[in-house]
Amino acid sequence: MGWFIVDGHEDIAMALAESQNRDFGQPAPENQALSLPDAKRGELALILGTIFAPEGYWPGQTAVQAAESQMRCYEDLLEEFDQDLFRVESRGDLALCKAGGPIGLIHLMEGADPIRSPRDVTRWMNRGVRVIAPVWNTGNRYCGSRSEGTGLSEAGRRLLQEMRRLQIVPDVSHMTPRAVDDVLGFDGGLVVASHSNARALRDHPRNLSDEHIREIAARGGLVGIVLFNPFLGTGDVTLDTVVAHIEHIFDLVGPEHVGLGSDLDGGFGTDNTPEGIDNVADLRMIGEALLARGHSTAVAEDVLGGNWMRVLREVLPD
């Protein structure tokens, strides 16, 4: 059957920056997952493409310089492939997204290091950023690192306040449990975890406790299932492993609060993705696996795209 797929976390600009000769217009090379032809073949309709620029990650570049470089990368892709890619800026634009193209593009900033002060959020929003994770693995002015185990700073609270004013969605995927508590306790607004799994099934620091999943759902948010094997399980990781995490969230909060956040090409290759996911085109296999487990077509459609669309309709302007 046909699908309408939203992937809530793809490191497209990062992948292209780390492989200077890679052509996004050609099928992905061996052990890599992302390309425009593969996205079209896989019936993707909308992608949250990341700006990944933690301070110190990119040699010779500040966080701001790296973020600007990645934004230029996306702008070049939008210009080069203008028949197949477009930037989503409003609720109305969501209706233009079609399975297999034209594919809508929204930006997610993974780590707010390029935001020098909350006043900068407006500038990034105007360039397509609609989701911001205050911190990646390494701490910054807004939030402590996973190793530190600390939460939001006062600057982080001011950042959240400005994000709320502008209807930018907080992403808690890389935050410590204390920091997740800080975000959830800030107000009752919408929160997502763009690429996280269930800690009850895989006890990994990057995964979410049942209580945090419940709190995210209570605010109307979702958890995007990440397809990195160490976050999914041990031993043989298959589509059944992926579906087990999805079904665990179903059992906790219902099928309205889980989506996809593949994190494909996010510093790992397809040798670290579940068996059966060799390319972004294979995301549709998750829908097929849900149907095989007895879930309805409507539930599978919501997981593959409908739940992300609901979240984005809530925050995008008219």
Side-chain angles (χ1 to χ4, degrees), residues 89-272:
E89 298 178 337
S90 68
R91 292 187 187 103
D93 287 346
L94 291 174
L96 304 177
C97 299
K98 304 297 181 184
I103 299 170
L105 183 66
I106 293 174
H107 298 304
L108 183 159
M109 185 172 283
E110 187 173 12
D113 303 55
I115 299 173
R116 292 164 294 188
S117 80
R119 292 189 301 273
D120 286 344
V121 175
T122 298
R123 185 171 71 87
W124 287 106
M125 180 193 71
N126 289 337
R127 299 177 75 184
V129 174
R130 285 289 170 178
V131 182
I132 295 175
V135 70
W136 183 60
N137 293 337
T138 52
N140 59 22
R141 65 180 69 86
Y142 302 116
C143 187
S145 69
R146 285 215 315 263
S147 61
E148 293 167 334
T150 51
L152 288 177
S153 65
E154 184 54 39
R157 291 180 176 86
R158 291 196 300 271
L159 175 67
L160 275 185
Q161 185 175 26
E162 183 66 1
M163 288 167 60
R164 286 302 191 206
R165 186 181 75 82
L166 297 170
Q167 291 192 286
I168 305 293
V169 184
D171 177 7
V172 299
S173 276
H174 277 278
M175 290 184 142
T176 67
R178 178 177 167 185
V180 176
D181 286 338
D182 287 346
V183 173
L184 293 170
F186 184 78
D187 61 17
L190 182 68
V191 174
V192 301
S194 71
H195 59 311
S196 295
N197 297 327
R199 187 172 291 191
L201 274 66
R202 172 65 171 135
D203 189 9
H204 190 285
R206 275 283 284 102
N207 290 338
L208 294 169
S209 70
D210 287 356
E211 183 57 30
H212 282 156
I213 292 170
R214 290 189 185 99
E215 290 295 329
I216 289 168
R219 288 156 175 77
L222 61 74
V223 177
I225 297 298
V226 56
L227 301 179
F228 182 42
N229 286 353
F231 299 166
L232 285 161
T234 59
D236 292 333
V237 177
T238 67
L239 283 169
D240 284 340
T241 315
V242 176
V243 172
H245 281 266
I246 293 171
E247 289 179 329
H248 182 79
I249 299 174
F250 285 0
D251 291 342
L252 290 174
V253 296
E256 301 87 2
H257 302 288
V258 58
L260 302 183
S262 72
D263 201 22
L264 290 174
D265 285 14
F268 62 93
T270 53
D271 53 342
N272 269 308

Side-chain angles (χ1 to χ4, degrees), residues 48-131:
L48 274 71
T50 68
I51 302 291
F52 176 75
E55 197 70 62
Y57 186 90
W58 297 97
Q61 290 185 302
T62 67
V64 175
Q65 289 169 334
E68 290 286 356
S69 177
Q70 290 178 35
M71 185 59 81
R72 286 194 298 273
C73 172
Y74 285 117
E75 289 167 351
D76 289 345
L77 293 177
L78 288 164
E79 181 176 357
E80 181 176 1
F81 303 110
D82 61 340
Q83 298 301 304
D84 297 307
L85 283 176
F86 72 100
R87 178 168 283 141
V88 170
E89 298 178 337
S90 68
R91 292 187 187 103
D93 287 346
L94 291 174
L96 304 177
C97 299
K98 304 297 181 184
I103 299 170
L105 183 66
I106 293 174
H107 298 304
L108 183 159
M109 185 172 283
E110 187 173 12
D113 303 55
I115 299 173
R116 292 164 294 188
S117 80
R119 292 189 301 273
D120 286 344
V121 175
T122 298
R123 185 171 71 87
W124 287 106
M125 180 193 71
N126 289 337
R127 299 177 75 184
V129 174
R130 285 289 170 178
V131 182

Side-chain angles (χ1 to χ4, degrees), residues 25-44:
Q26 296 297 318
E30 185 177 359
N31 200 37
Q32 300 299 309
L34 301 181
S35 79
L36 181 57
D38 297 318
K40 292 174 64 177
R41 181 166 57 89
E43 299 176 301
L44 269 72

Side-chain angles (χ1 to χ4, degrees), residues 281-294:
D282 297 324
L283 294 179
R284 57 189 172 187
M285 300 304 296
I286 297 172
E288 302 295 339
L290 286 166
L291 296 180
R293 291 283 286 265

